[in-house]
Amino acid sequence: MSESHFTFSEFVAGFWRMESWDMTPMQRLSLIEQYLELGVTTMDHADIYCQYQCETLFGEALALKPALRQQMQIVSKCGIKPAFACRPERYVNHYDTSCEHIIASVEHSLKQLNTDYLDLLLIHRPDPLMDADAVAEAFKLLKQAGKVQHFGVSNFTNAQFSLLQSRLDAPLVTNQVELSPLAMSTLHDGTLDLCQQRRIRPMAWSCLAGGKIFETTNPQAVRLHQTLKLIAEQVGTQDISQVIYAWVRMLPSRPVPLIGSGNIERIKSAVASNEIQLDRQQWFSIWQASMGHSVP
C-alpha cells in the first residue's frame, strides 16, 4: 500500500451552512481569503449541503479570484441522496455508492466548485448496499482522470473502513466523524484508535455540538458548561469553545476540527485555541462532566 501525502491545515473550514450566511459573492470571497490568511487552507464541502447550493456559492466566489485555488485543498463528499424537493424523482432518503453515482457526483461538484479536481473525496455515510469493489473502481477511474487526488470516508465504523481499504491500492486518508464533549462514542468504540494505528488524521465535525453545550435544561450540558467555564478561567480565556477545540486536539490521533462558521471573530477564536494546552486532569474533568461519572 503506497503512502499518502495529503496534508490538512490544522483547522478545516466547513461550508455546510454557507447559504444561511446571506453573503454576496464578494463577501464569500473575502471570507475565503481571511480563512487562508489564518492558515486554514482545507475547505470542506459535500454535494448535498443546503440542497446542493453550497458548492455553487463557493464556486461563484472562487471564480472571482481563481488563483486562490492553488492555496487550498478542497474536500467534498458524496453518497447521500435525500428526497429534496429539488429532486422530485426521489421519494425516500437513501444512499448510493455505485461507481456510476460517485463519478457523476464528482463531475457535478467540480462544475459547481469551479475547479478541475478535488484534493480529497469522502464517501459521506456508510451504505448497507456498498459494493467495495465498485467504490474502488470509481476511485481508480477518478484518480486516473486526475479529477480526485486522495480518498477517504465519513462516519464509517472500523469494519466498514477496513472493508473498503482492503480493496484499495492507496490508503484512505481520513475518517470524518462527529466528535465533541457531548458526542464521545468514537473515543470508546475504536474509531480513533484505528486512525492512530494507521497514522491518519480524523476530521472532527460538530466539535461544539451545534450549540447544545449551552442548553440549560440538559443536565449533561449543564455539567459540561460549568466545567468548561472553570477550565477556561484556568487557561486564561473567556471563550469555552477554545477549551473544547483544545480538548479535541489533545487526542493522540490528532483530529482536525472543522469550523462551521461564517463569523470571522469566531473563526479567529477557534484558530487561536491552537495556543491552549490542557493538562490531563483538565482533559479528564471534561470527560467526567460529560459522562456523569469518574473513570473506573
Side-chain angles (χ1 to χ4, degrees):
M1 190 179 298
S2 60
E3 289 294 321
S4 167
H5 300 290
F6 186 80
T7 302
F8 294 100
S9 51
E10 289 303 310
F11 292 85
V12 172
F15 292 96
W16 67 90
R17 296 192 185 103
M18 195 174 204
E19 186 183 41
S20 68
W21 299 340
D22 195 26
M23 293 179 174
T24 66
M26 282 300 301
Q27 288 172 325
R28 282 177 247 142
L29 174 63
S30 176
L31 179 67
I32 293 168
E33 289 181 312
Q34 290 178 87
Y35 262 121
L36 294 173
E37 288 167 3
L38 289 168
V40 181
T41 60
T42 306
M43 311 287 168
D44 181 76
H45 296 272
D47 55 351
I48 63 168
Y49 286 161
C50 290
Q51 300 202 24
Y52 295 93
Q53 294 304 305
C54 286
E55 289 183 329
T56 301
L57 296 175
F58 187 92
E60 287 175 353
L62 186 57
L64 298 175
K65 199 169 182 180
L68 291 180
R69 177 64 181 94
Q70 303 308 312
Q71 300 178 36
M72 64 179 69
Q73 307 87 43
I74 296 182
V75 182
S76 195
K77 312 177 199 73
C78 69
I80 303 179
K81 283 188 170 180
F84 288 150
C86 62
R87 296 293 190 274
E89 73 280 5
R90 301 175 189 168
Y91 61 88
V92 64
N93 294 339
H94 61 287
Y95 301 138
D96 187 348
T97 52
S98 65
C99 180
E100 294 78 12
H101 176 68
I102 293 172
I103 292 173
S105 180
V106 168
E107 295 282 7
H108 183 263
S109 290
L110 294 177
K111 180 179 178 181
Q112 303 308 103
L113 290 163
N114 265 310
T115 186
D116 296 327
Y117 68 97
L118 297 176
D119 295 274
L120 175 59
L121 174 69
L122 310 180
I123 300 298
H124 204 159
R125 289 275 178 181
D127 175 10
L129 299 179
M130 182 185 79
D131 180 336
D133 290 314
V135 177
E137 179 67 11
F139 285 3
K140 182 182 75 172
L141 294 173
L142 289 166
K143 178 75 171 180
Q144 289 175 345
K147 294 178 179 179
V148 181
Q149 295 186 345
H150 303 277
F151 301 90
V153 296
S154 182
N155 306 298
F156 270 44
T157 66
N158 284 356
Q160 292 157 346
F161 186 103
S162 297
L163 167 61
L164 183 54
Q165 183 63 82
S166 72
R167 301 300 200 271
L168 303 175
D169 295 328
L172 296 166
V173 302
T174 194
N175 189 2
Q176 185 179 124
V177 295
E178 184 178 11
L179 177 57
S180 78
L182 275 177
M184 303 197 301
S185 62
T186 54
L187 273 69
H188 306 132
D189 65 10
T191 299
L192 299 185
D193 300 312
L194 182 66
C195 290
Q196 188 179 178
Q197 177 185 349
R198 292 179 176 267
R199 300 187 186 279
I200 64 173
R201 299 187 70 178
M203 300 171 74
W205 62 267
S206 201
C207 294
L208 305 183
K212 293 179 182 177
I213 288 175
F214 298 94
E215 292 181 2
T216 58
T217 57
N218 181 331
Q220 182 188 23
V222 171
R223 292 194 308 267
L224 269 170
H225 190 270
Q226 292 172 344
T227 299
L228 290 165
K229 186 175 180 181
L230 175 63
I231 294 173
E233 293 173 357
Q234 293 171 352
V235 299
T237 180
Q238 296 181 340
D239 186 354
I240 67 171
S241 67
Q242 291 188 319
V243 177
I244 295 171
Y245 285 123
W247 182 86
V248 168
R249 287 170 50 79
M250 191 170 168
L251 290 159
S253 56
R254 300 174 61 223
V256 185
L258 273 76
I259 307 171
S261 178
N263 182 306
I264 190 59
E265 295 308 316
R266 291 179 183 172
I267 295 165
K268 288 179 178 178
S269 177
V271 174
S273 71
N274 194 33
E275 302 302 317
I276 293 176
Q277 300 293 323
L278 305 182
D279 63 33
R280 282 178 176 262
Q281 292 194 85
Q282 290 168 330
W283 193 95
F284 276 101
S285 294
I286 295 169
W287 185 96
Q288 178 173 291
S290 178
M291 297 295 290
H293 61 75
S294 172
V295 296

